[in-house]
Every structure is written in structure tokens, then in C-alpha cells.
Amino acid sequence: VGINGAKEKEINLLIAKEIRRLLEKEKIEVIMVREKDEELGKSKVEDLKYRVKIMNEVSPILAVSIHQNSYHEENVFGAQVFYYQTSTEGEKAAGIIQDALQKVNPDNTKKIKANNTYYILKKTEVPTVIVECGFLSNYKEAQKLVTEDYQKSVAEAVAEGILSYIKENE
């Protein structure tokens, strides 16, 4: 829950659905892990395992997990893309998507970040990125993240990045 009371899961789903709409318009097949506000397991671990199972079974060109970030210091802001530290394709996709997100907020100084502990990054067998669209702990950014216009801007940037990554890998 954000500093403004916004629920991360609701923002994530709205942005993900808009990304799907934009990609399908470009004739890209999109498989959503969830379509509505529901848990995919009885626990957080079970939920994550189920998500990874779907990603590995479907074996997409790229798996993208949409999230909102938070930090104990309220002044921290900006979208940031994470990838598994040994995945060269994940790193490439993260860089392309991060570049597209910079257009949404040119003041954002965040760079892509390697990670070896996030379950989804660690356990997927396909290039995977986690897109943290902004910080719900930053009041100004949290207020933007609940607006349809800003969600669409973020979704457009992520979709643009995904399309660029796909085109580079054709």
C-alpha cells in the first residue's frame, strides 16, 4: 500500500492490461499470469512458484513482471528495471525498457540493476525482467501512479521497450 493509500496490486494490473492491449494491437501474443485481482496460490511462495511455472511452460521471448517500488526514504523516485545477473538477454531487455521509461520521467536517474535473489528472476528459464514502475513511498510519484494518464504513459514506454527488444531478436 502506497503512502497515498494506493494498492500496488491494482496499479500493477491496470498497467499490465494496458501493456497487453498495446502489444496485441501490434499483433504480439501476450499471456497474462493473472487477469483479475486474485492470488494464484495459498501463500506468497506458492503464488510465485505458480507464476514461474506458467512462464517456463509458455516459454515466451520475454517475461515481464510489473511492480511498484517502495523505500524507507520518501524522496526516492523513478522507474527501474531489474534482470537476473547472469542473463545477457535479460540485461539487454532491461536496458531497452529502462531507456523507454526515461522518456516518461527524464528526471529519473535510475539505471538497470542486476539481481540474483528475486525468485522470479532466479527461477525462470526465459529472459525475464521486473519493471518497478515507480515508488509508492514517494507521495508525488504515488499520486501520479494512480492516474490513468500516467499509467498509460508507463504502459506505452514498457510496450515500446518490449517491441524494440522483440524486433532486435527477430
Side-chain angles (χ1 to χ4, degrees):
V1 177
I3 197 166
N4 60 346
K7 291 184 178 171
E8 178 187 9
K9 64 182 183 172
E10 292 172 1
I11 297 169
N12 295 349
L13 192 55
L14 289 166
I15 291 172
K17 284 181 173 180
E18 181 63 12
I19 292 168
R20 176 183 60 190
R21 188 188 72 75
L22 294 166
L23 292 175
E24 287 179 344
K25 206 166 96 175
E26 298 297 322
K27 308 292 186 238
I28 303 296
E29 181 185 5
V30 176
I31 293 154
M32 300 277 284
V33 172
R34 72 180 178 106
E35 303 267 351
K36 55 187 185 227
D37 184 9
E38 63 183 348
E39 293 292 323
L40 302 175
K42 292 178 183 143
S43 67
K44 194 80 163 159
V45 171
E46 206 176 288
D47 183 88
L48 287 170
K49 284 182 179 179
Y50 185 74
R51 291 168 191 264
V52 167
K53 180 178 182 260
I54 291 171
M55 290 178 210
N56 288 336
E57 284 175 358
V58 171
S59 194
I61 294 168
L62 179 65
V64 179
S65 189
I66 302 296
H67 297 272
Q68 310 308 312
N69 217 334
S70 69
Y71 196 65
H72 62 274
E73 293 177 24
E74 190 186 330
N75 64 330
V76 177
F77 71 95
Q80 187 169 29
V81 186
F82 292 81
Y83 63 95
Y84 191 62
Q85 71 179 8
T86 60
S87 172
T88 53
E89 285 303 308
E91 182 177 11
K92 183 165 83 170
I96 293 168
I97 295 169
Q98 185 75 47
D99 287 347
L101 284 164
Q102 292 302 126
K103 297 172 196 162
V104 176
N105 184 357
D107 294 333
N108 179 14
T109 58
K110 297 262 181 280
K111 304 287 181 217
I112 62 172
K113 194 167 184 180
N115 183 284
N116 68 351
T117 60
Y118 292 163
Y119 188 84
I120 285 177
L121 296 178
K122 200 162 67 169
K123 297 294 185 178
T124 48
E125 298 160 1
V126 296
T128 304
V129 296
I130 292 176
V131 180
E132 296 281 1
C133 301
F135 281 80
L136 289 176
S137 52
N138 177 294
Y139 190 78
K140 187 176 173 186
E141 195 160 62
Q143 288 297 91
K144 288 196 288 188
L145 284 163
V146 296
T147 68
E148 187 177 341
D149 284 349
Y150 195 74
Q151 290 169 2
K152 283 189 175 191
S153 296
V154 169
E156 286 166 4
V158 174
E160 176 190 321
I162 292 168
L163 286 168
S164 295
Y165 175 78
I166 290 170
K167 286 178 183 159
E168 282 190 20
N169 286 291
E170 285 183 324

